Amino acid sequence: MPILCHWLGLLCWLLPGWVAAQGTLSGTVTDGTAPVAWANVVLFTPAGQLVAATATTEQGRFELQAAPGAYQLKVSFLGFSDWEQPVVLAAATTLGTIILKTSATALREVTVVGQKALVEYQPDRVIFNVENSAAATGGDAVQALSAAPGVLVRNNSISLLGRGAVRVLVNGRLLELAGEELVAYLKAIPASSIRNVEVMSNPPAEYEADGAGLLNINLRQGAADSWKNTSTLSYEQNTYGSLALRNNLIYNQGRIRFAGSVGGKLGNSQARQTLTTAYPSGLWNLRYTGRQQENNASARLALDYDLTPNLSVGGQYAGTYATPGSQDYTTIDIRNRQQRLDSLVRNTDARRVRTSSHAYNAHLVSVLDTLQRQLSVDADYFTYDSELDNTLIAKVFTPEEEFVRTSLAARNDSYQQVRTGSVKADMTHPLLWAQLSYGGKISLISSQSGLAYYDIRPATPQLDPSRSNTFEYREQTQALYVSGTRPFSARMSLQLGLRLENTQTRGYSATLDQRTTRSYRKLFPSAYLTYQPSDDHRFRLTYGRRVNRPGFGLLNPFRSYINSNSYSEGNPFLQPSFANNLELTYAYKNAWRTNAFLTHTVAGFGPVFTAEPATNTLTISRQNYFREYAYGLGQSYTAPVTAWWQTQTQLYGLSSATQFSNGLAARPRNGIQLYGATTNTFTLGPATTLQADYTYASPVARGLYRMGYTSGLNLALQHQFLHNRLHVTALLNDAFNTAYLKDYSSTVNGIRQVYSENNSSRFFRLTLSYDIGNSLLQGKQREFGNEDERQRTR
């Protein structure tokens, strides 16, 4: 362990090992002419953990006590923009006078409560405030993520712009889900219960090292000594319609904090896909149309109780149930070398699906002493179950629509069971002139999946053992981390972190009698250097190492038939890939932000579409086939343009350099992509807002694939009635129906394939949301961070 010792030694040099006495932070808050009384003054650690809070006196003065070190101080008051900046606390630190500026949302004689910007930039993450997005109102977590800056949701995959697939957390707990399972789970979380989404391209050491980055969904918690109930009814219309009803209750009183939500959705949506394969014998043109159910139900309960002022305990439960089945219709036009129609293949597919999940959590948070050393302990258990009954019938016809034969009639019964448990402990340890955190985690994951394939052409369906299988997977991970932040001056600070993960995996295919075991131990360093030469200028350089582990489904070696001439199969020998990320950011007046990044990936894996000309079959396999440098340069602007217009606009240039590493019969193709996105909120009156979002991504070639352009215009109009208790929102999503995946092409073995997919990209949604409750803003509120994981099922 020489590398670990080296890093720990460096951290010990940066973070002196003696504990300091309490320091005092004081100042005065004014509006430039008079003191501001009863303003909220809150002191956070650089990681966002609450340290101390108070309110200003009638003379505008405040005083806080905490251990000396680096912190973030925030001052807020109704009608004024929030004031926030880093501070270095010594034995006695006086900030002098803090001047609050009037909020730009104050209109004429109407006082509008100051609110957070739609997008906020913090040292190690970008925060998208979902509750301030009219476009997300009435939607679900998938739609909320797709509206976050730099997040792409396509083809059941959630990724960061120019980087790759990410992992998703809810309240700091990792979801062990990916692909269709992750999307189905997130669709059961209403956007009305989400406070914000944290986008982390280089997460700190306390988070898991898996994924190209992390998206943390924070659910609403509410103000102290208050209660609020929100009921939301929304109707969505694409080709088909769907109706959703949700209810969220938040109650915080004294020592008790409670949050509960329940809801469901009924309806359907349409999916369309096309695939053209250029076989030597002629083109195969596939057209797919599916009517997919959107039926789901979800519930969440969270209860926290303060046993003492320094000790809190709590528990949470979250459950989902969904039946995302579908009726699928596929037509394949088979042409000869002269491009004349030879025959037709028609596939009908009835998919009956049931999924359910249950997540349980118990946690404890204790402040150990007056130096604000804090211990957090979490225990989590998660279950995920899915059942699929899929009947597929393929019939061959002549060009004149005359029936020839039934080429395939099969029934697939499959299931998946995932169980995961974990225990995690985190310690926040203030030291002299620094902030130290460390902890560890143990997680156990098991997955079992099975597939029974029946030929239903005989009168009595016959089981085909050669096409049936059960697959078991076990994964154990032990992790330790240490992270520390040291300010060298009021203008410069350095944060270093190191995470050690020890992983053991085991897979077993019963039909193939194939066992695959793997064990590896890896270090994941991270570093953040911040320099602020003046109040208007800030530079930040970050580095992090990440791992991308294959999901359970990708390791299952057996075949899953998509239609009569194509199937998907996993790879039990698939290896994890590793990436090193370097990012430089410059911010000017917290409005202009220039960002440059470089990511180097080794042992990269992904799907490979391989066509076999001898049999005219298509195989989708998973392979470690590339290494890549991906890089980008972007500019964003976030600020009020006028008192009634706020904008968040970004423009990126992206590119990559890819090399294939396993003898793949293809050549890499790389090009430059232009990506732009703008979100604009217009205040049309005291109770009316209009939000207009537009995105554009130019065509691009990257590695094995080329991709066509995408663009989308979303328009949302919201009006508030009954003293702002009733919210009515109308949304037109993707007005021109151009925001879907198109012209996704690759050439392997000299055979070119072009794929497109549109899952109801354009739709209209009408939402009614009604609030009742009070908002007594006295008393303290503690938010619980340092939370744990749930699961990963691919």
Side-chain angles (χ1 to χ4, degrees):
M1 303 289 287
I3 300 178
L4 178 61
C5 295
H6 172 76
W7 275 84
L8 290 175
L10 183 58
L11 284 171
C12 292
W13 174 78
L14 288 168
L15 309 172
W18 59 91
V19 177
Q22 289 285 82
T24 302
L25 181 67
S26 60
T28 302
V29 179
T30 74
D31 62 3
T33 58
V36 177
W38 312 115
N40 295 320
V41 184
V42 186
L43 192 66
F44 297 94
T45 68
Q49 296 170 327
L50 177 65
V51 175
T54 188
T56 57
T57 66
E58 293 184 359
Q59 293 75 35
R61 300 192 186 98
F62 69 88
E63 183 176 294
L64 294 170
Q65 289 188 342
Y71 298 98
Q72 194 81 5
L73 183 69
K74 182 176 181 178
V75 181
S76 59
F77 192 69
L78 300 182
F80 293 89
S81 299
D82 293 349
W83 181 95
E84 185 173 357
Q85 78 173 40
V87 297
V88 177
L89 176 59
T93 302
T94 301
L95 297 179
T97 300
I98 297 173
I99 300 176
L100 298 183
K101 297 180 180 179
T102 303
S103 173
T105 57
L107 296 175
R108 299 186 182 95
E109 298 179 357
V110 179
T111 301
V112 179
V113 175
Q115 64 179 8
K116 293 182 179 179
L118 184 63
V119 178
E120 298 179 82
Y121 296 98
Q122 290 192 0
D124 57 0
R125 66 199 68 190
V126 176
I127 299 177
F128 173 63
N129 292 304
V130 177
E131 56 192 358
N132 293 339
S133 172
T137 302
D140 53 43
V142 174
Q143 293 163 335
L145 290 178
S146 65
V151 178
L152 303 178
V153 181
R154 290 176 183 162
N155 197 22
N156 286 323
S157 175
I158 303 174
S159 62
L160 285 182
L161 181 65
R163 300 172 195 252
V166 296
R167 302 298 303 278
V168 178
L169 305 93
V170 176
N171 279 348
R173 293 181 175 88
L174 185 67
L175 292 175
E176 294 292 353
L177 295 167
E180 292 183 6
E181 289 82 7
L182 175 62
V183 171
Y185 181 86
L186 293 176
K187 281 186 175 181
I189 300 177
S192 59
S193 66
I194 300 175
R195 184 173 81 251
N196 60 41
V197 175
E198 297 175 321
V199 182
M200 292 177 279
S201 57
N202 266 335
E206 55 262 37
Y207 292 100
E208 279 75 8
D210 199 8
L214 295 179
L215 302 178
N216 184 29
I217 300 173
N218 290 308
L219 303 179
R220 295 190 182 200
Q221 293 183 324
D225 292 327
S226 67
W227 71 275
K228 181 179 182 181
N229 189 87
T230 302
S231 300
T232 303
L233 176 66
S234 64
Y235 177 78
E236 192 170 295
Q237 180 67 49
N238 49 78
T239 303
Y240 308 106
S242 62
L243 186 69
L245 178 63
R246 315 282 186 186
N247 193 82
N248 300 317
L249 173 64
I250 298 175
Y251 176 85
N252 295 329
Q253 180 63 44
R255 297 184 176 187
I256 299 176
R257 288 172 299 284
F258 172 81
S261 65
V262 64
K265 185 176 183 179
L266 293 173
N268 298 275
S269 64
Q270 186 180 71
R272 290 182 177 272
Q273 300 172 14
T274 62
L275 175 63
T276 299
T277 305
Y279 289 108
S281 59
L283 290 178
W284 286 45
N285 296 316
L286 180 150
R287 301 185 304 277
Y288 161 86
T289 302
R291 177 171 177 165
Q292 299 183 338
Q293 291 182 350
E294 297 289 329
N295 302 346
N296 64 63
S298 64
R300 173 180 174 262
L301 299 173
L303 178 64
D304 291 281
Y305 183 75
D306 294 337
L307 296 174
T308 70
N310 295 325
L311 178 62
S312 297
V313 295
Q316 293 193 28
Y317 166 79
T320 66
Y321 177 79
T323 57
S326 63
Q327 292 288 333
D328 306 327
Y329 304 94
T330 304
T331 299
I332 304 175
D333 297 341
I334 302 176
R335 298 183 178 274
N336 57 27
R337 288 187 176 91
Q338 290 73 39
Q339 300 305 312
R340 288 194 298 267
L341 185 62
D342 260 359
S343 60
L344 297 169
V345 179
R346 300 195 186 280
N347 296 323
T348 58
D349 191 358
R351 291 163 41 93
R352 291 181 291 275
V353 186
R354 291 190 300 272
T355 68
S356 63
S357 67
H358 303 277
Y360 308 89
N361 165 264
H363 55 268
L364 175 148
V365 180
S366 177
V367 179
L368 302 180
D369 50 33
T370 58
L371 301 176
Q372 299 299 312
R373 288 191 300 169
Q374 180 173 290
L375 172 66
S376 301
V377 179
D378 281 87
D380 288 88
Y381 182 69
F382 181 86
T383 69
Y384 177 84
D385 295 272
S386 67
E387 298 178 4
L388 169 63
D389 184 351
N390 185 18
T391 300
L392 174 65
I393 298 176
K395 297 180 180 181
V396 180
F397 297 84
T398 67
E400 293 75 27
E401 299 284 348
E402 296 177 352
F403 174 73
V404 177
R405 69 182 186 279
T406 298
S407 63
L408 178 69
R411 177 182 175 187
N412 292 337
D413 286 340
S414 62
Y415 70 92
Q416 183 179 42
Q417 296 177 344
V418 179
R419 304 291 184 266
T420 177
S422 64
V423 177
K424 180 182 178 183
D426 298 275
M427 174 72 77
T428 301
H429 193 150
L431 300 175
L432 184 63
W433 306 109
Q435 185 79 15
L436 179 68
S437 61
Y438 47 87
K441 176 182 177 181
I442 298 175
S443 63
L444 305 173
I445 300 172
S446 68
S447 171
Q448 186 175 63
S449 58
L451 170 66
Y453 183 98
Y454 294 90
D455 187 345
I456 61 175
R457 282 176 292 187
T460 301
Q462 296 181 358
L463 177 68
D464 186 345
S466 67
R467 294 187 176 185
S468 304
N469 186 43
T470 60
F471 183 70
E472 298 178 359
Y473 178 81
R474 301 286 186 273
E475 179 178 294
Q476 301 181 24
T477 301
Q478 306 84 38
L480 294 172
Y481 80 88
V482 59
S483 177
T485 302
R486 176 175 180 174
F488 293 104
S489 67
R491 298 294 184 183
M492 180 180 291
S493 67
L494 176 65
Q495 176 181 332
L496 291 180
L498 184 65
R499 186 177 184 91
L500 171 68
E501 292 190 356
N502 188 38
T503 303
Q504 308 90 41
T505 67
R506 182 183 64 188
Y508 175 66
S509 171
T511 302
L512 302 179
D513 193 24
Q514 183 180 66
R515 289 177 172 83
T516 307
T517 60
R518 187 178 299 120
S519 178
Y520 53 93
R521 182 185 298 113
K522 297 294 182 180
L523 289 173
F524 300 94
S526 59
Y528 308 81
L529 177 64
T530 302
Y531 175 59
Q532 188 171 358
S534 67
D535 292 341
D536 291 340
H537 303 273
R538 177 180 295 183
F539 296 87
R540 187 165 182 85
L541 180 65
T542 70
Y543 165 78
R545 187 171 189 246
R546 309 288 297 167
V547 60
N548 187 14
R549 297 186 180 93
F552 315 139
L554 302 186
L555 298 170
N556 189 342
F558 226 71
R559 295 177 178 177
S560 175
Y561 283 83
I562 302 171
N563 53 58
S564 57
N565 78 308
S566 61
Y567 60 86
S568 175
E569 62 182 4
N571 180 0
F573 303 105
L574 205 60
Q575 300 289 325
S577 66
F578 295 89
N580 290 282
N581 303 319
L582 187 65
E583 189 169 353
L584 176 63
T585 303
Y586 164 69
Y588 175 66
K589 288 188 175 181
N590 289 324
W592 293 94
R593 184 174 182 265
T594 305
N595 175 258
F597 71 86
L598 172 65
T599 300
H600 179 219
T601 301
V602 296
F605 63 84
V608 177
F609 291 70
T610 305
E612 177 55 54
T615 58
N616 288 342
T617 57
L618 174 64
T619 303
I620 305 174
S621 61
R622 278 77 184 176
Q623 302 178 28
N624 294 96
Y625 72 91
F626 70 90
R627 55 190 304 139
E628 179 184 69
Y629 286 95
Y631 45 92
L633 176 64
Q635 179 70 54
S636 64
Y637 177 72
T638 305
V641 180
T642 67
W644 49 270
W645 176 13
Q646 184 177 25
T647 186
Q648 193 274 327
T649 300
Q650 56 181 335
L651 182 64
Y652 268 86
L654 307 167
S655 191
S656 59
T658 309
Q659 294 179 339
F660 294 161
S661 55
N662 71 339
L664 190 68
R667 62 180 183 85
R669 299 170 295 177
N670 296 280
I672 297 176
Q673 183 180 36
L674 181 66
Y675 175 86
T678 180
T679 297
N680 297 273
T681 303
F682 304 94
T683 304
L684 306 181
T688 306
T689 57
L690 172 67
Q691 184 172 317
D693 304 341
Y694 180 76
T695 61
Y696 174 80
S698 67
V700 66
R702 180 175 179 179
L704 184 61
Y705 296 97
R706 291 182 183 271
M707 188 184 307
Y709 87 96
T710 59
S711 65
L713 174 65
N714 305 332
L715 299 172
L717 181 66
Q718 184 177 88
H719 187 77
Q720 300 176 5
F721 301 89
L722 303 178
H723 303 288
N724 297 337
R725 291 188 179 273
L726 176 63
H727 305 255
V728 180
T729 306
L731 167 69
L732 177 59
N733 193 83
D734 190 16
F736 302 110
N737 197 29
T738 52
Y740 61 92
L741 179 68
K742 59 177 72 69
D743 299 332
Y744 190 68
S745 65
S746 65
T747 302
V748 180
N749 291 338
I751 299 176
R752 186 170 185 262
Q753 298 161 76
V754 182
Y755 175 77
S756 297
E757 177 176 326
N758 188 344
N759 294 327
S760 297
S761 177
R762 178 168 56 186
F763 62 85
F764 173 79
R765 184 170 64 224
L766 181 65
T767 302
L768 304 178
S769 179
Y770 186 72
D771 297 332
I772 60 173
N774 63 13
S775 55
L776 305 176
L777 300 178
Q778 300 89 5
K780 73 173 184 177
Q781 176 187 7
R782 173 185 292 150
E783 294 187 1
F784 292 88
N786 300 322
E787 297 178 326
D788 223 349
E789 76 176 313
R790 296 179 191 169
Q791 67 244 67
R792 184 180 81 248
T793 330
R794 301 184 186 180

